């Protein structure tokens, strides 16, 4: 395991960032879904939103410092971190890293590689779909001529888009909604490809193991039917 200052920092603050990500998503969801929210609660959710984003910013700057890279090089090599900092609704995917730490025991993953890929992809899809449905609902339900009027419509649209089905019965009409749709379609293709590839690889390994052992174990063979044995006649 790498023991650099950057690696130690990422190991120590992983849980903190995961909790901050969930708090950010919860505060944003309350602001979007709770109609007629009292001013005090609205201000509290807004404060939580900005406070958690400040945590993300501090983490980004600390990792920039610990990486000992020039800012432009850090931006090129950590472009996804920069994108997530600009679009904080993607931060809840950090929960996947916490889940990975929980699944590990003595630095070894408790689940196989294929099971981890499927678990991480499923968790990422659920979090991304929830965040996308909130954003699309926030911008679409008040837009003129929009077909997404309720949060249920937004969830249905997110599910069909993320799964790459795309019935076309609902579609965003605002620029922000369409931008979210493009990103969700790309994420859906990537996650679906990861799950399909992992499952196919697992099936090929199972068939390969069966091909290497064409004969059943000795205990399962009928008496006198050993491989390669010649039939004897009296």
């Amino acid at each position: 395991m790498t023991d650099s200052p950057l690696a130690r920092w990422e190991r120590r603050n992983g849980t903190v960032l995961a909790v901050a990500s969930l708090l950010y998503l919860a505060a944003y969801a309350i602001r979007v879904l709770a109609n007629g929210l009292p001013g005090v609660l609205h201000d509290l959710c807004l404060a939580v939103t900005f406070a958690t984003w400040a945590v993300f910013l501090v983490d980004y700057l600390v990792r920039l410092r610990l990486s000992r890279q020039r800012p432009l090089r850090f931006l090129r090599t950590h472009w996804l971190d920069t994108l997530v900092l600009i679009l904080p609704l993607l931060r809840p995917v950090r929960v996947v890293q916490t889940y990975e730490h929980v699944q590990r025991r003595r630095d070894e993953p408790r689940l196989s590689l294929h099971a981890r890929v499927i678990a991480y992809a499923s968790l990422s899809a659920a979090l991304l779909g929830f965040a996308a449905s909130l954003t699309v609902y926030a911008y679409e339900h008040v837009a003129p001529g929009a077909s997404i009027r309720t949060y249920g419509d937004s969830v249905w649209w997110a599910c069909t888009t993320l799964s790459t089905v795309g019935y076309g019965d609902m579609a965003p009409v605002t620029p922000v909604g369409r931008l979210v749709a493009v990103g969700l379609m790309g994420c859906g293709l990537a996650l679906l490809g990861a799950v399909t590839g992992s499952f196919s690889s697992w099936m090929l390994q199972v068939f390969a193991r069966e091909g290497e052992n064409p004969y059943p174990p000795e205990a399962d063979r009928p008496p006198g039917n050993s491989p390669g044995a010649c039939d004897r006649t009296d």
Side-chain angles (χ1 to χ4, degrees):
M1 179 182 296
T2 305
D3 198 31
S4 64
L6 179 59
R8 289 196 300 269
W9 170 264
E10 292 178 345
R11 289 198 301 269
R12 291 173 181 173
N13 71 342
T15 303
V16 174
L17 288 175
V19 173
S21 301
L22 292 179
L23 287 175
Y24 184 96
L25 185 59
Y28 182 76
I30 293 174
R31 288 172 52 206
V32 171
L33 299 178
N35 296 323
L37 192 67
V40 176
L41 293 180
H42 182 274
D43 293 340
L44 178 61
C45 291
L46 192 61
V48 171
T49 300
F50 281 108
T52 50
W53 187 84
V55 172
F56 305 150
L57 179 60
V58 170
D59 172 70
Y60 184 85
L61 295 177
V62 170
R63 289 192 292 117
L64 172 61
R65 179 60 179 261
L66 294 178
S67 67
R68 298 180 180 178
Q69 296 179 351
R70 295 182 180 274
L72 292 179
R73 179 176 176 81
F74 185 84
L75 290 176
R76 289 196 301 268
T77 57
H78 297 77
W79 63 269
L80 183 58
D81 294 330
T82 307
L83 177 63
V84 169
L85 181 65
I86 299 174
L87 302 175
L89 277 176
L90 299 178
R91 293 295 303 198
V93 181
R94 276 277 189 178
V95 176
V96 177
Q97 294 183 348
T98 304
Y99 180 78
E100 181 180 4
H101 292 318
V102 172
Q103 288 295 328
R104 286 182 174 272
R105 178 186 299 171
R106 296 180 181 179
D107 299 332
E108 291 295 332
R110 296 175 57 187
L111 297 178
S112 66
L113 175 61
H114 307 300
R116 277 184 290 153
V117 169
I118 294 175
Y120 301 162
S122 301
L123 185 57
S124 299
L127 292 171
L128 288 172
F130 181 54
S133 65
L134 288 174
T135 304
V136 168
Y137 173 71
Y139 285 91
E140 290 290 324
H141 78 285
V142 294
S147 58
I148 301 175
R149 290 297 183 181
T150 66
Y151 183 66
D153 294 339
S154 183
V155 171
W156 170 252
W157 169 85
C159 292
T160 57
T161 304
L162 192 58
S163 61
T164 68
V165 175
Y167 288 110
D169 53 344
M170 297 177 185
V173 297
T174 62
V176 175
R178 291 177 176 176
L179 181 63
V180 172
V182 171
L184 198 60
M185 284 186 284
C187 292
L189 290 173
L191 294 173
L192 183 62
V195 173
T196 304
S198 179
F199 182 76
S200 301
S201 177
W202 175 73
M203 291 293 294
L204 289 174
Q205 288 187 6
V206 171
F207 293 150
R209 286 195 297 266
E210 291 182 355
E212 293 173 357
N213 299 281
Y215 299 107
E218 292 289 343
D220 297 336
R221 297 188 192 123
N225 288 341
S226 59
C230 298
D231 295 336
R232 291 184 298 178
T233 58
D234 295 335

